[in-house]
């Protein structure tokens, strides 16, 4: 401001004749007022610029947030949700089949063991599969059980009881001890087979090929009810 005053004083010294003398103090006051107005205008302009920029940032941020909450295709989360939704039907674990469904698939139920009061040659079993009876002729070491509707000579569809001095070699063997006896259940030439050691020989029972009607516990009960004379 001192430089402005000196400039005004210099102009006043060179003022033309006939003109009123310059009022330096009034000019300085007006200059100061003008300078304050310029500074105030600049501050207001700066504040308005900052406010406008902040409002723009907030508007853009809110718009992006609004887009992110929608179901638009763009954006990471919607794609992940779409992928999960499309994968869920194929990855859902299948429900386990019920026992009734399993039985209907095989078309048979578990064999029922009933009381047996007759001996089959040298084989004496107190239990017998219901609906099965021995075929003739019977021998001292072999008896074949079949159902009345069977009209085949293939023993693979029948129950075969054999007595032998030695045990047979079974695969996939399950061994169980019960009532002082050791039961071996496994596979022999593709047939479910059980055998148990009696006094001086082995009793071997071969079941029909592909049977599902003879669970292990039923086969063990049948073996345990038999003796060989």
């Amino acid at each position: 401001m001192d430089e402005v005053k000196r400039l005004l004083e210099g102009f006043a010294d060179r003022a033309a004749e006939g003109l009123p003398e310059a009022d330096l103090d009034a000019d300085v006051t007006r200059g100061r007022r003008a300078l304050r107005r310029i500074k105030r205008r600049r501050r207001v302009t700066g504040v308005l610029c900052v406010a406008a920029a902040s409002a723009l940032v907030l508007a853009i941020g809110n718009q992006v947030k609004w887009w992110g909450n929608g179901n638009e295709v763009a954006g990471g989360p919607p794609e992940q949700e779409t992928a999960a939704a499309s994968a869920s039907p194929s990855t859902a674990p299948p429900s386990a089949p019920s026992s009734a469904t399993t039985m209907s698939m095989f078309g048979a139920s578990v064999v029922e063991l009933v009381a047996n009061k007759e001996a089959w040659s040298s084989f004496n079993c107190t239990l017998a599969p219901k609906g099965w009876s021995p075929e003739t002729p019977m021998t001292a070491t072999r008896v074949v059980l079949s159902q009345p509707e069977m009209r085949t000579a293939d023993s693979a569809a029948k129950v075969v009881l054999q007595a032998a001095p030695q045990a047979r070699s079974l695969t996939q063997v399950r061994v169980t001890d019960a009532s002082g006896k050791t039961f071996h259940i496994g596979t022999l030439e593709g047939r479910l087979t059980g055998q148990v050691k009696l006094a001086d020989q082995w009793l071997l029972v071969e079941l029909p090929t592909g049977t599902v009607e003879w669970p292990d516990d039923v086969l063990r009960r049948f073996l345990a009810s038999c003796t060989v004379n």
Side-chain angles (χ1 to χ4, degrees), residues 80-132:
Q80 295 174 1
E81 292 174 2
T82 303
S86 61
S88 59
S90 59
T91 58
S95 59
S98 62
S99 58
T101 304
T102 304
M103 289 301 178
S104 64
M105 289 174 58
F106 293 112
S109 58
V110 175
V111 167
E112 179 183 356
L113 297 179
V114 296
N116 179 35
K117 297 181 180 181
E118 63 175 315
W120 305 327
S121 183
S122 61
F123 296 88
N124 186 11
C125 299
T126 58
L127 295 176
K130 185 177 181 179
W132 295 70

Side-chain angles (χ1 to χ4, degrees), residues 14-15 22 33-34 39-40 52 56 74 76 84 100 133 137 148 155 158 160 169 171 190 202 217-219 223-224:
R14 294 192 296 273
R33 290 175 180 173
K39 290 183 177 179
R40 190 182 303 113
L56 180 61
S133 57
S155 61
K158 303 174 183 181
V160 179
S169 177
T171 59
W202 286 81
D217 60 332
V218 173
L219 180 53
L223 285 168

Side-chain angles (χ1 to χ4, degrees), residues 177-200:
D177 293 323
S179 303
K181 298 179 181 179
T182 301
F183 301 91
H184 301 255
I185 297 177
T187 303
L188 178 63
E189 298 179 356
R191 300 177 65 173
L192 182 62
T193 302
Q195 60 183 355
V196 60
K197 176 68 182 300
L198 301 179
D200 56 352

Side-chain angles (χ1 to χ4, degrees), residues 22-169:
D23 188 350
L24 297 180
D25 292 334
D27 291 339
V28 171
T29 300
R30 284 193 296 272
R32 289 176 176 173
R33 290 175 180 173
L35 183 60
R36 283 196 296 268
R37 284 195 298 270
I38 292 173
K39 290 183 177 179
R40 190 182 303 113
R41 191 178 297 116
R42 288 179 178 175
R43 285 197 298 270
V44 172
T45 303
V47 171
L48 291 176
C49 291
V50 172
S54 301
L56 180 61
V57 171
L58 290 174
I60 294 175
N62 291 335
Q63 190 172 12
V64 171
K65 184 178 180 182
W66 179 79
W67 285 345
N69 290 335
N71 293 326
E72 286 76 12
V73 175
E79 291 181 357
Q80 295 174 1
E81 292 174 2
T82 303
S86 61
S88 59
S90 59
T91 58
S95 59
S98 62
S99 58
T101 304
T102 304
M103 289 301 178
S104 64
M105 289 174 58
F106 293 112
S109 58
V110 175
V111 167
E112 179 183 356
L113 297 179
V114 296
N116 179 35
K117 297 181 180 181
E118 63 175 315
W120 305 327
S121 183
S122 61
F123 296 88
N124 186 11
C125 299
T126 58
L127 295 176
K130 185 177 181 179
W132 295 70
S133 57
E135 294 182 348
T136 55
M138 294 180 286
T139 68
T141 59
R142 181 183 173 89
V143 172
V144 177
L145 304 180
S146 63
Q147 293 176 303
E149 63 272 17
M150 287 184 177
R151 302 189 182 280
T152 176
D154 184 9
S155 61
K158 303 174 183 181
V159 176
V160 179
L161 287 74
Q162 298 184 69
Q166 301 294 332
R168 301 288 298 273
S169 177

